[in-house]
Amino acid sequence: MKAVFGEREAIQNRLHQIDQTEREIRRHFDQERKQLELRLAMMELPNARKRAGSVKERRRSAYVEYLQEVIVAYLKEEKRPVRGFAVQQFVKDQTGHHIGNMSAFMNALMPKHEEVRKLGRGMYVYEKKVLSHV
């Protein structure tokens, strides 16, 4: 009887491991897709007509927008308040880019992404807004 219980537990654990690995692989491919799309966008910028600002500024803003999306996705995934340092480390691990002034970066991000809030003293959280019908 104990062997059946042990086997059932082992199967459930393995299914859980497969689900976890599947999520990690999907997250990896999503991040790689975003990086490739960003790279394509950056390659197309020099061919576009100069409408506003220099090519360098547009490349920078495209990269900043990409970093902001990475941060928002991370905060959305965490579902709990996260320290700015942890966000900074996550960005460095995922993109290799170091954000020098995290507070300034997040202050620029929050008006664009209203779901991201600062709770105080470097704690950030993603809060999905609930629409109320009056």
Side-chain angles (χ1 to χ4, degrees):
M1 194 82 159
K2 180 135 177 122
V4 174
F5 180 73
E7 185 178 354
R8 174 176 286 156
E9 206 172 275
I11 291 171
Q12 288 175 342
N13 284 340
R14 183 63 183 140
L15 286 172
H16 179 71
Q17 289 173 345
I18 290 171
D19 288 341
Q20 209 170 13
T21 304
E22 199 172 47
R23 280 192 298 270
E24 289 173 11
I25 290 171
R26 204 173 278 135
R27 186 178 323 126
H28 172 75
F29 281 129
D30 286 343
Q31 289 170 352
E32 186 175 356
R33 181 178 293 115
K34 285 180 183 178
Q35 288 176 344
L36 291 172
E37 289 171 351
L38 173 67
R39 184 68 185 137
L40 272 177
M42 291 172 75
M43 290 172 75
E44 291 172 2
L45 284 176
N47 298 333
R49 297 186 203 276
K50 292 184 180 181
R51 284 176 260 166
S54 70
V55 172
K56 187 175 182 179
E57 287 175 14
R58 283 184 275 169
R59 280 186 188 164
R60 175 192 250 167
S61 68
Y63 193 68
V64 167
E65 287 175 14
Y66 168 70
L67 292 177
Q68 289 177 344
E69 292 302 320
V70 168
I71 290 172
V72 170
Y74 173 65
L75 291 174
K76 188 187 256 187
E77 185 180 302
E78 282 299 311
K79 297 179 178 137
R80 62 177 175 79
V82 180
R83 287 229 165 264
F85 180 74
V87 175
Q88 189 177 32
Q89 285 299 114
F90 178 80
V91 169
K92 185 163 183 139
D93 292 344
Q94 296 300 314
T95 66
H97 183 79
H98 175 73
I99 299 173
N101 188 340
M102 198 62 192
S103 293
F105 193 88
M106 293 302 286
N107 285 337
L109 176 143
M110 287 186 287
K112 294 177 187 174
H113 301 276
E114 295 177 357
E115 301 87 9
V116 176
R117 271 190 345 122
K118 183 174 185 176
L119 297 178
R121 306 279 313 170
M123 297 288 284
Y124 299 95
V125 68
Y126 180 91
E127 291 181 337
K128 183 117 176 143
K129 294 194 176 190
V130 178
L131 298 176
S132 59
H133 294 88
V134 184

